[in-house]
Amino acid sequence: MILENKPPRFAARLNAFKIGASDYWPGKNTVTTADLIGRAATAGLNAADLNYPDHFVDASPSDLSAALNDNDMVLNGMAMRYYTDPGFKLGAFTHPDPTVRRAAIDETKRGLDVLAQMGGTLMTLWMGQDGFDYSFQMEYARAWDATLEAMAEVADHNPALDIALEYKPNEPRAFALMPDAATTLLALRELNRSNTGVTLDFAHVLYADEMPAFAAALVARHSRILGVHLNDGYGKWDNGLMVGAVHPIQTVELLVELERAGYDGAIYFDTFPDHSGLDPVAEARTNIEVVNRLRGTAARLVGNCDLQQAIAQQDAPKAMRLVQAAMLA
């Protein structure tokens, strides 16, 4: 488990490492995905998620496998990026044009083939463009059916690969078709594929007005936690702040819940140093240091009998004293 065995694999948004490119690579006209991998490795990251097809425009799968190996990094997984294609503006799996829906499904299958070629096992789907902006804009039942039909075809393409749904209330559409844990779990139950599950993004969960540890408990109970994105925010939108910057106690509680669920996957920092022009290497190093400290706190709490007794009695004052003592030790 993440608190008892070897330290987790750490990954982060590779595109964040484009910040300050002209200073970091003076005179370089084009920054490649391999360059981003190399810079990310200097921050202490030991895993990487690749976006498909974006990160493969300038390199082949074998080239990127070599870049990962050269930097002592492993492939954590891949993520589809439909929203970067203007053709999917009205949706990928829910687009009103069946030819566009077919194109999205086929693109996903190609991504899965590349994932398998590179030895990866996890594909994350964030369907931000599959939603609506107006009343009377979407035929909800048809869109739901189209989504599940597409996901079934994708999941069945290679049952050896895991498909993780990453939910978020909105953006870029005003309303997402799968905005929260409950709706996503409802879809997965209807989908009924053993190689599917959920990626929990801390800021998305806050944005959905959910408690992260509770969301994790629900997902572990009804499906599988396949990925964890740590970051932070104020719950109003996807701020992508550094881990623990706003909600350190909720982050610790999530880590405790992940331990109980047996999650042993990577920790992915879905943060946005871009918004403030932060040094992405320093930001990633800070995330790693903070998470390791919070993991230490979670390790002291996960087996604390006094804390479990306080929780069983819903004794919030006692629980807070114990948690704060562990965090401030």
Side-chain angles (χ1 to χ4, degrees):
M1 297 184 184
I2 62 171
L3 302 180
E4 296 175 354
N5 294 338
K6 61 183 179 181
R9 299 183 301 279
F10 289 119
R13 282 181 57 248
L14 283 180
N15 289 345
F17 292 92
K18 295 177 181 178
I19 301 172
S22 59
D23 292 330
Y24 191 80
W25 295 286
K28 189 175 180 62
N29 294 324
T30 302
V31 176
T32 67
T33 303
D35 292 329
L36 298 178
I37 290 171
R39 190 179 185 192
T42 67
L45 299 167
N46 53 17
D49 282 51
L50 299 174
N51 295 341
Y52 189 86
D54 307 41
H55 285 154
F56 294 84
V57 171
D58 54 35
S60 68
S62 58
D63 291 335
L64 294 185
S65 290
L68 290 170
N69 185 65
D70 291 344
N71 288 282
D72 294 321
M73 299 175 75
V74 299
L75 177 66
N76 177 52
M78 287 170 48
M80 294 299 301
R81 284 295 178 259
Y82 312 100
Y83 71 91
T84 58
D85 186 334
F88 295 135
K89 186 170 291 187
L90 283 180
F93 293 169
T94 63
H95 199 284
D97 186 342
T99 60
V100 177
R101 294 200 300 274
R102 171 48 50 190
I105 295 170
D106 290 344
E107 182 85 326
T108 307
K109 289 181 176 180
R110 286 191 289 272
L112 289 169
D113 291 341
V114 170
L115 175 65
Q117 179 183 342
M118 295 182 68
T121 60
L122 177 64
M123 175 66 80
T124 301
L125 304 183
W126 171 55
M127 311 304 295
Q129 66 292 316
D130 282 332
F132 51 95
D133 305 297
Y134 298 93
S135 297
F136 295 102
Q137 184 180 21
M138 173 171 276
E139 188 178 350
Y140 306 117
R142 185 209 63 79
W144 185 266
D145 288 342
T147 296
L148 291 183
E149 290 168 5
M151 288 182 174
E153 185 173 342
V154 166
D156 292 342
H157 180 67
N158 187 342
L161 302 178
D162 284 328
I163 310 295
L165 303 185
E166 179 185 351
Y167 65 85
K168 184 179 181 181
N170 56 48
E171 191 191 19
R173 307 305 295 270
F175 292 88
L177 200 62
M178 295 184 191
D180 50 35
T183 309
T184 304
L185 290 172
L186 184 66
L188 289 172
R189 180 177 181 179
E190 192 171 338
L191 183 60
N192 193 28
R193 295 298 192 277
S194 61
N195 62 326
T196 59
V198 178
T199 286
L200 288 170
D201 182 292
F202 192 88
H204 294 185
V205 173
L206 295 175
Y207 192 14
D209 200 23
E210 297 173 337
M211 184 67 85
F214 181 35
L218 285 176
V219 173
R221 182 183 183 92
H222 295 284
S223 181
R224 294 188 297 154
I225 303 173
L226 294 177
V228 173
H229 292 181
L230 287 188
N231 43 34
D232 214 331
Y234 298 102
K236 297 178 180 180
W237 65 294
D238 189 14
N239 301 106
L241 302 181
M242 287 181 282
V243 180
V246 186
H247 296 89
I249 290 181
Q250 290 83 354
T251 305
V252 168
E253 187 186 28
L254 174 61
L255 292 172
V256 169
E257 195 63 42
L258 292 174
E259 173 71 5
R260 290 173 178 156
Y263 178 75
D264 62 355
I267 298 296
Y268 176 90
F269 301 124
D270 198 357
T271 54
F272 294 89
D274 332 46
H275 291 169
S276 300
L278 304 179
D279 177 353
V281 173
E283 194 248 19
R285 287 174 177 167
T286 300
N287 282 326
I288 292 172
E289 181 178 337
V290 169
V291 168
N292 281 330
R293 288 183 177 179
L294 295 180
R295 288 177 64 243
T297 300
R300 292 191 292 272
L301 294 174
V302 71
N304 189 309
C305 296
D306 291 337
L307 178 59
Q308 288 310 303
Q309 183 182 35
I311 292 172
Q313 297 173 349
Q314 294 194 32
D315 186 344
K318 181 178 180 180
M320 283 300 97
R321 289 197 302 272
L322 293 168
V323 170
Q324 294 283 12
M327 292 189 70
L328 301 176

